[in-house]
Amino acid sequence: MHPRLVISNFQLFSMMLLFLFGSATIVSIGQEARQSAWIAVLVGMLMYLPFFALFTLLYKRHPEETFPTILKIAFGKLVGKIICMLYVLYFIYIGARVLRDFCELLLLTSMKDTPLVIVGGVMTLVIAYACFLEVEPIARASVLLLVVFVGFIVLGFFLLFFFDVMNPDRMHPILAEGIGSIFRAVFPLILTFPFGEMVVFLMFNQFIKGEKSLRKMGTRAVVIGGVMLSMLSLISLTTLGEHLVGSSTIPLLVTVQQVNIGDIIQRMDMLAISVLIIGGFAKVTIFAYAAILGIKDIYQTGSHKLSLLLVTVSILTTTIFMSDNAVKHLEIGLKIVPVWIHIPMQFVIPIVALVMIQLKSRKKSRST
């Protein structure tokens, strides 16, 4: 049966939008398109919209079921459980990758001599506490955190714009690498990160009003998130120029460092780091909670604490041991993961599941 509805549409929208910002604000996406990176983000957004609408149709015939149950209906009980376990591992692994992104951010900027295990451990404790409180407090907190996040972005834009830090000439030449560079940037990277990762919200249908709410709020979040990420890319480009954006580890942070008003308002990078951590915390928490939901459904257990312990320890352990250094971590995340992990989990399995459900429904109708 459908659990008690605990997430309003606006709370779901806030979770989705904060999730999309997540690590996309610290990783420079679309650099294959150079000066046209901001266009590539918009193209990736438009390409993902029909896929997200398609995936929500998984619940059209089974609105009361959870995503793991949908997988069992589509693939059979045994295969469905195995695929559900793959999703649990996927959420844990990607959550660990995002956590590692923000650990590297802190180690690079403000905590250089701190061991990785300490930084990751402290962040994991906060994430574990949020998951312990369960989905309703996470959803309520997302609204407040989104206001802080967007408020900082708007403030930063006005400071850069009104004090002549931005130069529109740095946008040119647009499409210097040709239109092919746009699609090389979009596929597979932008399509799968951050937009394709929205597949995690298929796990949250049980807490909302159904697939129509999921589709409507998801569409709004993807459109608004895509436009804002494109604007952030454009702001970094017009502030730093294409060469500096391409060579910077965290372009948005370098962009914020350009704010210096009369030697009074400066050093905003520490505030920027704090706000960026908000997005990372929200994203890892959502991945972790989705993994907890998957484990509870697979093993039909009501033990939230045991699932929580298993997931958070797995995320922290994976975070620490996944890569030897930040360069290797980014290389794997931007070149290997999108093709070999994201595409099967974000697109192939949901599409096959939808086809299987449609075929079984038709077969059932004919036999009836």
Side-chain angles (χ1 to χ4, degrees):
M1 294 297 292
H2 205 297
R4 180 172 63 91
L5 300 175
V6 293
I7 302 180
S8 69
N9 281 351
F10 185 70
Q11 288 173 339
L12 177 65
F13 168 78
S14 299
M15 289 173 67
M16 288 175 161
L17 194 53
L18 202 56
F19 177 88
L20 278 173
F21 290 143
S23 51
T25 52
I26 66 170
V27 177
S28 183
I29 57 175
Q31 286 310 300
E32 292 85 348
R34 300 173 73 87
Q35 284 97 332
S36 305
W38 61 279
I39 300 176
V41 175
L42 293 176
V43 172
M45 172 200 75
L46 293 173
M47 288 181 65
Y48 182 69
L49 282 173
F51 283 106
F52 186 80
L54 186 68
F55 298 155
T56 59
L57 294 178
L58 286 166
Y59 292 102
K60 189 170 184 179
R61 297 181 184 274
H62 307 280
E64 302 295 316
E65 303 296 349
T66 63
F67 184 54
T69 304
I70 294 290
L71 292 175
K72 294 172 192 173
I73 293 172
F75 297 103
K77 190 172 182 180
L78 178 60
V79 177
K81 275 190 174 184
I82 294 172
I83 294 175
C84 183
M85 195 65 220
L86 289 177
Y87 271 103
V88 169
L89 296 175
Y90 173 69
F91 296 147
I92 288 173
Y93 179 68
I94 302 303
R97 294 204 66 85
V98 177
L99 181 59
R100 181 64 179 262
D101 287 338
F102 286 89
C103 287
E104 295 292 351
L105 169 65
L106 290 172
L107 293 173
L108 180 67
T109 56
S110 57
M111 306 177 72
K112 296 180 181 180
D113 297 324
T114 308
L116 174 63
V117 65
I118 300 298
V119 179
V122 171
M123 293 183 70
T124 303
L125 284 175
V126 179
I127 292 162
Y129 179 69
C131 292
F132 174 76
L133 296 176
E134 299 215 38
V135 70
E136 191 173 5
I138 294 173
R140 289 201 305 265
S142 295
V143 177
L144 177 60
L145 294 177
L146 181 63
V147 171
V148 175
F149 196 97
V150 174
F152 174 79
I153 291 175
V154 173
L155 173 64
F157 170 75
F158 278 109
L159 289 175
L160 291 167
F161 181 78
F162 284 109
F163 290 93
D164 294 329
V165 179
M166 300 167 63
N167 183 357
D169 291 338
R170 298 190 179 108
M171 294 171 55
H172 304 293
I174 297 175
L175 295 177
E177 303 294 316
I179 197 170
S181 65
I182 297 287
F183 291 99
R184 286 194 298 272
V186 169
F187 186 83
L189 185 55
I190 295 178
L191 191 62
T192 59
F193 167 76
F195 298 113
E197 293 174 337
M198 289 280 286
V199 71
V200 71
F201 285 98
L202 293 177
M203 296 292 293
F204 289 82
N205 185 70
Q206 57 190 295
F207 301 115
I208 59 178
K209 295 178 182 179
E211 49 98 11
K212 290 184 179 179
S213 292
L214 184 64
R215 185 185 309 121
K216 184 166 66 173
M217 293 302 107
T219 300
R220 291 178 182 178
V222 169
V223 171
I224 294 174
V227 170
M228 291 190 70
L229 287 172
S230 176
M231 287 179 60
L232 288 175
S233 178
L234 191 57
I235 290 169
S236 294
L237 177 64
T238 54
T239 302
L240 303 176
E242 187 271 326
H243 292 293
L244 190 53
V245 169
S247 60
S248 300
T249 306
I250 309 171
L252 185 61
L253 189 59
V254 180
T255 301
V256 172
Q257 290 173 344
Q258 307 308 306
V259 175
N260 186 354
I261 303 171
D263 292 329
I264 298 173
I265 301 178
Q266 56 181 335
R267 296 297 298 168
M268 289 187 65
D269 47 327
M270 290 299 104
L271 178 59
I273 291 170
S274 301
V275 175
L276 291 174
I277 293 296
I278 289 175
F281 160 76
K283 190 165 187 176
V284 181
T285 300
I286 289 168
F287 272 125
Y289 195 77
I292 291 168
L293 292 174
I295 290 175
K296 290 168 72 172
D297 197 291
I298 291 171
Y299 295 103
Q300 295 294 303
T301 175
S303 179
H304 182 73
K305 292 180 181 179
L306 181 60
S307 302
L308 170 64
L309 180 63
L310 179 62
V311 168
T312 51
V313 169
S314 298
I315 287 177
L316 178 59
T317 304
T318 307
T319 297
I320 295 169
F321 293 105
M322 66 168 49
S323 299
D324 298 331
N325 53 65
V327 175
K328 186 176 179 181
H329 167 69
L330 283 175
E331 184 179 356
I332 293 172
L334 297 178
K335 293 183 179 179
I336 298 175
V337 172
V339 176
W340 300 104
I341 298 179
H342 280 331
I343 289 178
M345 304 304 292
Q346 295 175 1
F347 296 96
V348 176
I349 292 177
I351 290 172
V352 173
L354 185 61
V355 170
M356 294 294 290
I357 287 174
Q358 293 296 329
L359 290 175
K360 289 186 177 183
S361 296
R362 290 183 181 181
K363 184 178 179 181
K364 185 177 180 180
S365 298
R366 287 174 182 174
S367 62
T368 301

PDB file of all heavy atoms in Angstrom, residues 125-135 137-138 285 289 292 304-305 308 312:
ATOM      1  N   LEU A 125      28.716  11.697   8.935  1.00  0.00           N
ATOM      2  CA  LEU A 125      27.923  11.744  10.174  1.00  0.00           C
ATOM      3  C   LEU A 125      26.715  12.665  10.017  1.00  0.00           C
ATOM      4  O   LEU A 125      25.609  12.331  10.463  1.00  0.00           O
ATOM      5  CB  LEU A 125      28.794  12.211  11.340  1.00  0.00           C
ATOM      6  CG  LEU A 125      29.772  11.189  11.919  1.00  0.00           C
ATOM      7  CD1 LEU A 125      30.660  11.827  12.980  1.00  0.00           C
ATOM      8  CD2 LEU A 125      29.014   9.989  12.511  1.00  0.00           C
ATOM      9  N   VAL A 126      26.920  13.809   9.389  1.00  0.00           N
ATOM     10  CA  VAL A 126      25.806  14.746   9.166  1.00  0.00           C
ATOM     11  C   VAL A 126      24.777  14.132   8.212  1.00  0.00           C
ATOM     12  O   VAL A 126      23.562  14.231   8.438  1.00  0.00           O
ATOM     13  CB  VAL A 126      26.330  16.083   8.603  1.00  0.00           C
ATOM     14  CG1 VAL A 126      25.174  17.051   8.360  1.00  0.00           C
ATOM     15  CG2 VAL A 126      27.346  16.707   9.549  1.00  0.00           C
ATOM     16  N   ILE A 127      25.259  13.483   7.160  1.00  0.00           N
ATOM     17  CA  ILE A 127      24.367  12.825   6.200  1.00  0.00           C
ATOM     18  C   ILE A 127      23.595  11.688   6.879  1.00  0.00           C
ATOM     19  O   ILE A 127      22.387  11.515   6.663  1.00  0.00           O
ATOM     20  CB  ILE A 127      25.181  12.297   5.006  1.00  0.00           C
ATOM     21  CG1 ILE A 127      25.730  13.479   4.188  1.00  0.00           C
ATOM     22  CG2 ILE A 127      24.347  11.371   4.128  1.00  0.00           C
ATOM     23  CD1 ILE A 127      26.865  13.119   3.263  1.00  0.00           C
ATOM     24  N   ALA A 128      24.292  10.922   7.720  1.00  0.00           N
ATOM     25  CA  ALA A 128      23.643   9.818   8.436  1.00  0.00           C
ATOM     26  C   ALA A 128      22.544  10.335   9.358  1.00  0.00           C
ATOM     27  O   ALA A 128      21.467   9.729   9.474  1.00  0.00           O
ATOM     28  CB  ALA A 128      24.681   9.038   9.233  1.00  0.00           C
ATOM     29  N   TYR A 129      22.794  11.463  10.010  1.00  0.00           N
ATOM     30  CA  TYR A 129      21.785  12.038  10.907  1.00  0.00           C
ATOM     31  C   TYR A 129      20.557  12.476  10.117  1.00  0.00           C
ATOM     32  O   TYR A 129      19.414  12.247  10.551  1.00  0.00           O
ATOM     33  CB  TYR A 129      22.373  13.232  11.668  1.00  0.00           C
ATOM     34  CG  TYR A 129      21.381  13.887  12.598  1.00  0.00           C
ATOM     35  CD1 TYR A 129      20.926  13.228  13.741  1.00  0.00           C
ATOM     36  CD2 TYR A 129      20.885  15.162  12.334  1.00  0.00           C
ATOM     37  CE1 TYR A 129      20.007  13.815  14.588  1.00  0.00           C
ATOM     38  CE2 TYR A 129      19.969  15.762  13.173  1.00  0.00           C
ATOM     39  CZ  TYR A 129      19.531  15.088  14.298  1.00  0.00           C
ATOM     40  OH  TYR A 129      18.614  15.677  15.136  1.00  0.00           O
ATOM     41  N   ALA A 130      20.779  13.082   8.939  1.00  0.00           N
ATOM     42  CA  ALA A 130      19.655  13.506   8.102  1.00  0.00           C
ATOM     43  C   ALA A 130      18.832  12.297   7.657  1.00  0.00           C
ATOM     44  O   ALA A 130      17.591  12.325   7.702  1.00  0.00           O
ATOM     45  CB  ALA A 130      20.173  14.274   6.887  1.00  0.00           C
ATOM     46  N   CYS A 131      19.503  11.225   7.260  1.00  0.00           N
ATOM     47  CA  CYS A 131      18.795  10.007   6.840  1.00  0.00           C
ATOM     48  C   CYS A 131      18.084   9.331   8.020  1.00  0.00           C
ATOM     49  O   CYS A 131      17.029   8.718   7.837  1.00  0.00           O
ATOM     50  CB  CYS A 131      19.771   9.026   6.182  1.00  0.00           C
ATOM     51  SG  CYS A 131      20.416   9.580   4.593  1.00  0.00           S
ATOM     52  N   PHE A 132      18.668   9.455   9.201  1.00  0.00           N
ATOM     53  CA  PHE A 132      18.041   8.890  10.407  1.00  0.00           C
ATOM     54  C   PHE A 132      16.699   9.565  10.682  1.00  0.00           C
ATOM     55  O   PHE A 132      15.745   8.924  11.122  1.00  0.00           O
ATOM     56  CB  PHE A 132      18.978   9.057  11.597  1.00  0.00           C
ATOM     57  CG  PHE A 132      18.377   8.635  12.908  1.00  0.00           C
ATOM     58  CD1 PHE A 132      18.235   7.293  13.228  1.00  0.00           C
ATOM     59  CD2 PHE A 132      17.937   9.587  13.820  1.00  0.00           C
ATOM     60  CE1 PHE A 132      17.665   6.899  14.430  1.00  0.00           C
ATOM     61  CE2 PHE A 132      17.375   9.203  15.020  1.00  0.00           C
ATOM     62  CZ  PHE A 132      17.241   7.852  15.337  1.00  0.00           C
ATOM     63  N   LEU A 133      16.616  10.875  10.405  1.00  0.00           N
ATOM     64  CA  LEU A 133      15.370  11.606  10.626  1.00  0.00           C
ATOM     65  C   LEU A 133      14.309  11.256   9.592  1.00  0.00           C
ATOM     66  O   LEU A 133      13.140  11.594   9.752  1.00  0.00           O
ATOM     67  CB  LEU A 133      15.647  13.114  10.586  1.00  0.00           C
ATOM     68  CG  LEU A 133      16.573  13.652  11.684  1.00  0.00           C
ATOM     69  CD1 LEU A 133      16.839  15.135  11.465  1.00  0.00           C
ATOM     70  CD2 LEU A 133      15.981  13.407  13.065  1.00  0.00           C
ATOM     71  N   GLU A 134      14.726  10.619   8.513  1.00  0.00           N
ATOM     72  CA  GLU A 134      13.870  10.166   7.412  1.00  0.00           C
ATOM     73  C   GLU A 134      13.446  11.303   6.486  1.00  0.00           C
ATOM     74  O   GLU A 134      13.902  12.436   6.611  1.00  0.00           O
ATOM     75  CB  GLU A 134      12.697   9.342   7.945  1.00  0.00           C
ATOM     76  CG  GLU A 134      13.186   8.091   8.684  1.00  0.00           C
ATOM     77  CD  GLU A 134      12.297   6.895   8.510  1.00  0.00           C
ATOM     78  OE1 GLU A 134      11.761   6.700   7.402  1.00  0.00           O
ATOM     79  OE2 GLU A 134      12.155   6.133   9.469  1.00  0.00           O
ATOM     80  N   VAL A 135      12.550  10.991   5.546  1.00  0.00           N
ATOM     81  CA  VAL A 135      12.364  11.820   4.365  1.00  0.00           C
ATOM     82  C   VAL A 135      11.699  13.168   4.641  1.00  0.00           C
ATOM     83  O   VAL A 135      12.021  14.176   4.005  1.00  0.00           O
ATOM     84  CB  VAL A 135      11.574  11.038   3.294  1.00  0.00           C
ATOM     85  CG1 VAL A 135      10.123  10.831   3.727  1.00  0.00           C
ATOM     86  CG2 VAL A 135      11.637  11.743   1.949  1.00  0.00           C
ATOM     87  N   PRO A 137      11.821  15.439   7.261  1.00  0.00           N
ATOM     88  CA  PRO A 137      12.760  16.518   7.618  1.00  0.00           C
ATOM     89  C   PRO A 137      13.742  16.861   6.489  1.00  0.00           C
ATOM     90  O   PRO A 137      14.120  18.022   6.321  1.00  0.00           O
ATOM     91  CB  PRO A 137      13.502  15.948   8.834  1.00  0.00           C
ATOM     92  CG  PRO A 137      12.573  14.943   9.412  1.00  0.00           C
ATOM     93  CD  PRO A 137      11.884  14.336   8.230  1.00  0.00           C
ATOM     94  N   ILE A 138      14.167  15.841   5.710  1.00  0.00           N
ATOM     95  CA  ILE A 138      15.051  16.103   4.569  1.00  0.00           C
ATOM     96  C   ILE A 138      14.354  17.028   3.582  1.00  0.00           C
ATOM     97  O   ILE A 138      14.956  17.987   3.063  1.00  0.00           O
ATOM     98  CB  ILE A 138      15.454  14.785   3.878  1.00  0.00           C
ATOM     99  CG1 ILE A 138      16.320  13.923   4.807  1.00  0.00           C
ATOM    100  CG2 ILE A 138      16.203  15.061   2.571  1.00  0.00           C
ATOM    101  CD1 ILE A 138      16.621  12.538   4.254  1.00  0.00           C
ATOM    102  N   THR A 285      22.842  13.004   0.531  1.00  0.00           N
ATOM    103  CA  THR A 285      21.756  12.557   1.408  1.00  0.00           C
ATOM    104  C   THR A 285      20.648  11.886   0.609  1.00  0.00           C
ATOM    105  O   THR A 285      20.116  10.843   1.012  1.00  0.00           O
ATOM    106  CB  THR A 285      21.183  13.747   2.196  1.00  0.00           C
ATOM    107  OG1 THR A 285      22.215  14.330   3.006  1.00  0.00           O
ATOM    108  CG2 THR A 285      20.044  13.303   3.107  1.00  0.00           C
ATOM    109  N   TYR A 289      19.617   8.038   1.056  1.00  0.00           N
ATOM    110  CA  TYR A 289      18.269   7.655   1.491  1.00  0.00           C
ATOM    111  C   TYR A 289      17.603   6.742   0.455  1.00  0.00           C
ATOM    112  O   TYR A 289      16.881   5.807   0.823  1.00  0.00           O
ATOM    113  CB  TYR A 289      17.411   8.896   1.729  1.00  0.00           C
ATOM    114  CG  TYR A 289      16.158   8.583   2.506  1.00  0.00           C
ATOM    115  CD1 TYR A 289      16.206   8.369   3.880  1.00  0.00           C
ATOM    116  CD2 TYR A 289      14.930   8.447   1.858  1.00  0.00           C
ATOM    117  CE1 TYR A 289      15.056   8.043   4.588  1.00  0.00           C
ATOM    118  CE2 TYR A 289      13.780   8.129   2.561  1.00  0.00           C
ATOM    119  CZ  TYR A 289      13.856   7.935   3.922  1.00  0.00           C
ATOM    120  OH  TYR A 289      12.719   7.602   4.634  1.00  0.00           O
ATOM    121  N   ILE A 292      18.893   3.322   1.067  1.00  0.00           N
ATOM    122  CA  ILE A 292      18.251   2.757   2.264  1.00  0.00           C
ATOM    123  C   ILE A 292      16.859   2.213   1.911  1.00  0.00           C
ATOM    124  O   ILE A 292      16.486   1.102   2.327  1.00  0.00           O
ATOM    125  CB  ILE A 292      18.155   3.816   3.374  1.00  0.00           C
ATOM    126  CG1 ILE A 292      19.550   4.149   3.905  1.00  0.00           C
ATOM    127  CG2 ILE A 292      17.259   3.346   4.524  1.00  0.00           C
ATOM    128  CD1 ILE A 292      19.600   5.372   4.795  1.00  0.00           C
ATOM    129  N   HIS A 304      15.270   0.427  10.003  1.00  0.00           N
ATOM    130  CA  HIS A 304      15.851   1.600   9.350  1.00  0.00           C
ATOM    131  C   HIS A 304      17.293   1.824   9.800  1.00  0.00           C
ATOM    132  O   HIS A 304      18.155   2.194   9.005  1.00  0.00           O
ATOM    133  CB  HIS A 304      14.997   2.830   9.668  1.00  0.00           C
ATOM    134  CG  HIS A 304      15.469   4.083   9.000  1.00  0.00           C
ATOM    135  ND1 HIS A 304      15.318   4.305   7.653  1.00  0.00           N
ATOM    136  CD2 HIS A 304      16.122   5.176   9.490  1.00  0.00           C
ATOM    137  CE1 HIS A 304      15.839   5.484   7.336  1.00  0.00           C
ATOM    138  NE2 HIS A 304      16.330   6.030   8.434  1.00  0.00           N
ATOM    139  N   LYS A 305      17.572   1.579  11.064  1.00  0.00           N
ATOM    140  CA  LYS A 305      18.903   1.852  11.613  1.00  0.00           C
ATOM    141  C   LYS A 305      19.960   0.951  10.987  1.00  0.00           C
ATOM    142  O   LYS A 305      21.069   1.397  10.685  1.00  0.00           O
ATOM    143  CB  LYS A 305      18.899   1.679  13.135  1.00  0.00           C
ATOM    144  CG  LYS A 305      18.072   2.726  13.867  1.00  0.00           C
ATOM    145  CD  LYS A 305      18.110   2.499  15.364  1.00  0.00           C
ATOM    146  CE  LYS A 305      17.254   3.535  16.093  1.00  0.00           C
ATOM    147  NZ  LYS A 305      17.259   3.310  17.567  1.00  0.00           N
ATOM    148  N   LEU A 308      20.548   2.059   7.449  1.00  0.00           N
ATOM    149  CA  LEU A 308      21.267   3.333   7.508  1.00  0.00           C
ATOM    150  C   LEU A 308      22.751   3.113   7.770  1.00  0.00           C
ATOM    151  O   LEU A 308      23.617   3.703   7.100  1.00  0.00           O
ATOM    152  CB  LEU A 308      20.655   4.210   8.609  1.00  0.00           C
ATOM    153  CG  LEU A 308      21.408   5.480   9.001  1.00  0.00           C
ATOM    154  CD1 LEU A 308      21.464   6.454   7.842  1.00  0.00           C
ATOM    155  CD2 LEU A 308      20.764   6.132  10.217  1.00  0.00           C
ATOM    156  N   THR A 312      25.632   4.163   4.959  1.00  0.00           N
ATOM    157  CA  THR A 312      26.567   5.259   5.252  1.00  0.00           C
ATOM    158  C   THR A 312      28.009   4.764   5.391  1.00  0.00           C
ATOM    159  O   THR A 312      28.943   5.424   4.928  1.00  0.00           O
ATOM    160  CB  THR A 312      26.143   6.009   6.518  1.00  0.00           C
ATOM    161  OG1 THR A 312      25.924   5.083   7.596  1.00  0.00           O
ATOM    162  CG2 THR A 312      24.865   6.793   6.279  1.00  0.00           C
TER     163      THR A 312
END
